[in-house]
Amino acid sequence: MWNVGMSEVGKALQAVVDRVNKAASRRPKTLPAVPPRLVAVSKTKPPEMVIEAYRNGHRNFGENYVSTVLFCAGPLQLKSCPEIEWHFIGHLQKGNVNKLLGVPNLFMVETVDSVKLADKVNSSWQRLRAASTRRLKVMVQINTSGEESKYGLPPGETVNTVKHILNKCSALHFSGLMTIGRYGYDLADGPNPDFQALLSQRQVVCDSLQIPLENVELSMGMSMDFEHAIEVGSTNVRVGSTIFGNRDYPNTPTPSPEKKPMVPTEDAAKKMECLTVTEK
């Protein structure tokens, strides 16, 4: 059923890790020397494939849907992968914040795209993790391509949103900026302008708020362009199909995860996950 078999996950993962490291070695010396983090995105794949990647030494995993994180981070999976670190990389609706923040080993929310969402995540984390002093890492998502089909803040709202998180959200730790960018950009035309826009936004944020450049991560780059993203400064890349194989969407058209109209509902996503597992 899957394009990458269980026995192939480890090989594919190691190949991507090697490519990440080589891309990092090609960075200009003027960029902060921050080792890039590889987030393995297992969307629509069974938890067994996550466990296989974990057994091969990987720890950072990302999901686009709250229902998927809840399904994959269940007690059995957590017992098998006690050191796993979950990144949420999809659009987060305020009504699902409490569900997401209750996930064991939630490491980072990369898609905070409004002050209101930041406030909701902050208050929920304070309430749900009252006994813990750990602040939740968050990134601010920027719509660098300006496409209406994509989520994220307009670049002009970046500084005020980051400032609000720093000053008003004591339970959150601002970690950096995230973008998806335009799908299918041809690098023959030069450096990806969406990545360049995120680099510029980091500089503006750091200059405006007196933050060291190396303290602000950049989450940009996916399977088709993660090497280029790292070369120009990404510190966090989100790679799925290159590790786990092409995604499977039973009885549904192939969706584009970057576009708003194609994002399935939480119920639909959960049904897809259940179908994927039962068909094993």
Side-chain angles (χ1 to χ4, degrees):
M1 176 68 182
W2 303 296
N3 294 7
V4 174
M6 293 293 292
S7 62
E8 299 299 316
V9 170
K11 294 178 183 178
L13 175 63
Q14 187 56 56
V16 171
V17 169
D18 291 343
R19 291 169 64 185
V20 165
N21 292 335
K22 288 178 181 178
S25 71
R26 296 192 293 267
R27 279 177 176 167
K29 301 302 181 184
T30 52
L31 290 172
V34 179
R37 180 194 299 111
L38 170 62
V39 178
V41 182
S42 53
K43 188 175 65 171
T44 81
K45 299 300 180 179
E48 288 83 357
M49 295 187 88
V50 172
I51 293 171
E52 183 67 18
Y54 183 93
R55 287 173 178 165
N56 279 271
H58 202 66
R59 295 295 180 265
N60 289 276
F61 293 84
E63 291 294 348
N64 291 64
Y65 305 116
V66 173
S67 60
T68 311
V69 181
L70 291 171
F71 181 80
C72 289
L76 292 178
Q77 281 68 52
L78 186 60
K79 185 176 180 181
S80 301
C81 309
E83 297 177 354
I84 199 168
E85 295 182 339
W86 289 105
H87 294 241
F88 187 72
I89 60 173
H91 178 61
L92 179 57
Q93 298 174 335
K94 287 190 281 292
N96 287 325
V97 168
N98 288 340
K99 295 179 183 177
L100 176 64
L101 268 55
V103 169
N105 289 33
L106 180 65
F107 179 74
M108 182 184 291
V109 177
E110 297 192 17
T111 50
V112 173
D113 59 3
S114 70
V115 165
K116 289 183 178 179
L117 180 58
D119 286 339
K120 175 63 176 177
V121 173
N122 181 68
S123 61
S124 295
W125 188 256
Q126 285 177 323
R127 184 176 65 258
L128 294 172
R129 305 297 175 100
S132 172
T133 59
R134 181 174 77 87
R135 292 187 294 164
L136 177 64
K137 295 178 182 291
V138 299
M139 288 188 177
V140 172
Q141 182 178 2
I142 312 300
N143 185 348
T144 53
S145 65
E147 296 170 276
E148 292 184 4
S149 60
K150 289 187 172 64
Y151 294 102
L153 285 168
E157 297 180 19
T158 305
V159 171
N160 286 338
T161 303
V162 173
K163 184 177 181 180
H164 179 86
I165 292 172
L166 292 172
N167 294 337
K168 303 294 184 181
C169 300
S170 59
L172 306 183
H173 174 79
F174 169 67
S175 295
L177 306 176
M178 178 266 206
T179 194
I180 293 173
R182 191 178 301 273
Y183 182 79
Y185 176 76
D186 187 353
L187 292 177
D189 296 330
N192 189 316
D194 296 322
F195 295 170
Q196 296 300 311
L198 201 67
L199 284 162
S200 297
Q201 283 300 303
R202 177 173 68 174
Q203 190 66 57
V204 170
V205 166
C206 291
D207 290 345
S208 301
L209 303 177
Q210 300 300 301
I211 304 174
L213 207 64
E214 61 271 17
N215 288 356
V216 179
E217 292 196 50
L218 296 178
S219 178
M220 57 188 191
M222 297 184 287
S223 284
M224 78 292 291
D225 55 15
F226 70 88
E227 289 164 295
H228 172 65
I230 290 171
E231 289 171 3
V232 299
S234 179
T235 63
N236 189 89
V237 291
R238 313 175 302 269
V239 180
S241 58
T242 307
I243 297 172
F244 297 105
N246 293 332
R247 293 166 179 152
D248 301 314
Y249 294 89
N251 303 319
T252 63
T254 301
S256 172
E258 294 83 13
K259 296 182 179 181
K260 290 182 184 180
M262 297 301 292
V263 174
T265 64
E266 293 293 329
D267 288 342
K270 189 170 183 179
K271 288 178 180 177
M272 284 190 280
E273 298 302 330
C274 292
L275 281 170
T276 304
V277 173
T278 55
E279 289 176 0
K280 182 182 173 184

